[in-house]
């Protein structure tokens, strides 16, 4: 069992402090490079689940901790867009380039898994400078 934790800045002020998103996903009918959660998907929709927790709120943006429970392509990006809070600077799923980001405002913070020898491993990546700078703007 692998557990992944991400930090992300999203558009808008999140009202719920935490929750789960359980929306099936599939490839977009209009653009094969994108994924979607709705009727505009072509082919089969696949189960996708993401848990979120708000770490900090601003008036226009929120900093979230995201934990995917399934591993679909673009899952976090698609789920946040479906909630109406797309990830900042995500050119594929949002047009909002903000908070000084020159990349998608998504950071892989922690990975936990059981090594084949039975040892539980936890790998953590420090918060990058652009995330630290954006936190101070909220």
């Amino acid at each position: 069992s692998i557990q992944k934790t991400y930090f992300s800045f999203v558009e808008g002020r999140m009202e719920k402090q935490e929750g789960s998103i359980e929306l099936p996903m599939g490839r977009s009918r209009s653009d094969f490079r994108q994924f979607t959660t709705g009727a505009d998907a072509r082919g089969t929709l696949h189960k996708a689940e993401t848990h979120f927790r708000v770490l900090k709120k601003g008036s226009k943006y929120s900093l979230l901790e995201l934990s995917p429970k399934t591993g679909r392509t673009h899952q976090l990006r698609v789920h946040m867009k479906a909630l109406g809070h797309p990830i900042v600077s995500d050119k594929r799923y949002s047009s909002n380039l903000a908070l000084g980001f020159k990349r998608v405002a998504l950071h892989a913070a922690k990975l936990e898994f059981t090594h084949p020898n039975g040892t539980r491993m936890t790998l953590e990546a420090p918060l990058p400078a652009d995330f630290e700078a954006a936190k101070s703007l909220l």
Side-chain angles (χ1 to χ4, degrees):
S1 69
I2 297 175
Q3 295 177 330
K4 299 174 186 177
T5 303
Y6 296 82
F7 294 138
S8 182
F9 284 93
V10 298
E11 296 177 24
R13 183 176 175 86
M14 294 286 292
E15 294 306 317
K16 287 180 70 175
Q17 193 61 30
E18 61 183 271
S20 292
I21 307 157
E22 294 183 41
L23 293 171
M25 294 174 46
R27 284 209 181 264
S28 170
R29 191 180 303 276
S30 60
D31 184 348
F32 74 93
R33 295 168 296 185
Q34 289 190 1
F35 290 80
T36 185
T37 60
D40 58 335
R42 70 172 129 137
T44 306
L45 291 175
H46 301 280
K47 178 183 175 180
E49 181 180 353
T50 302
H51 296 291
F52 69 88
R53 184 170 62 98
V54 176
L55 301 175
K56 190 171 181 182
K57 292 181 190 182
S59 60
K60 294 182 180 179
Y61 304 98
S62 300
L63 173 60
L64 305 182
E65 177 183 278
L66 301 171
S67 300
K69 298 304 172 196
T70 51
R72 303 284 173 212
T73 302
H74 296 193
Q75 177 177 323
L76 301 176
R77 298 162 72 184
V78 171
H79 273 174
M80 295 318 300
K81 180 180 178 183
L83 277 188
H85 296 281
I87 294 175
V88 169
S89 295
D90 184 348
K91 293 177 185 174
R92 188 170 305 277
Y93 295 100
S94 167
S95 60
N96 190 353
L97 302 176
L99 296 173
F101 282 98
K102 293 182 168 86
R103 63 181 181 95
V104 176
L106 183 64
H107 171 65
K110 185 163 62 169
L111 178 65
E112 296 179 77
F113 61 95
T114 302
H115 191 275
N117 69 12
T119 306
R120 189 71 180 163
M121 305 284 296
T122 300
L123 306 172
E124 294 187 65
L127 212 53
D130 54 357
F131 266 71
E132 290 290 355
K135 264 177 55 174
S136 68
L137 298 175
L138 291 186

